Amino acid sequence: MCGTAEIPFWEKYTLSVSEAAVYFRIGENKLRKIISENEDAEFILWNGNRPQIKRTMFEKYIDNCNVV
């Protein structure tokens, strides 16, 4: 099989900030603010200095928020 197949957002384990912004319909700046306020949260996986959002864990975090 040649080339790379694009994995849909809803099947990915982690999302970049830009992917998470599209998936969750939250602005990138807002997501970066959430990340900076919760740097040690379970829904963040740090790849060097780049945060990756663990999709299902962030969904649970969002489920418990009243306001984003």
Side-chain angles (χ1 to χ4, degrees):
M1 195 156 125
C2 294
T4 58
E6 192 65 29
I7 300 170
F9 290 155
W10 60 89
E11 291 183 5
K12 289 185 174 185
Y13 181 75
T14 63
L15 303 171
S16 67
V17 172
S18 59
E19 290 172 332
V22 172
Y23 184 82
F24 291 106
R25 297 183 53 124
I26 299 172
E28 284 188 41
N29 290 336
K30 184 62 143 183
L31 278 173
R32 291 188 190 283
K33 182 178 178 187
I34 291 170
I35 290 167
S36 70
E37 292 172 352
N38 299 281
E39 289 182 347
D40 295 329
E42 289 185 349
F43 61 82
I44 301 171
L45 172 67
W46 289 96
N47 181 6
N49 65 348
R50 293 184 180 186
Q52 293 286 306
I53 308 290
K54 295 178 186 177
R55 185 181 48 80
T56 55
M57 289 184 174
F58 191 68
E59 287 172 355
K60 292 174 186 172
Y61 171 79
I62 292 295
D63 286 344
N64 291 318
C65 291
N66 293 325
V67 177
V68 177

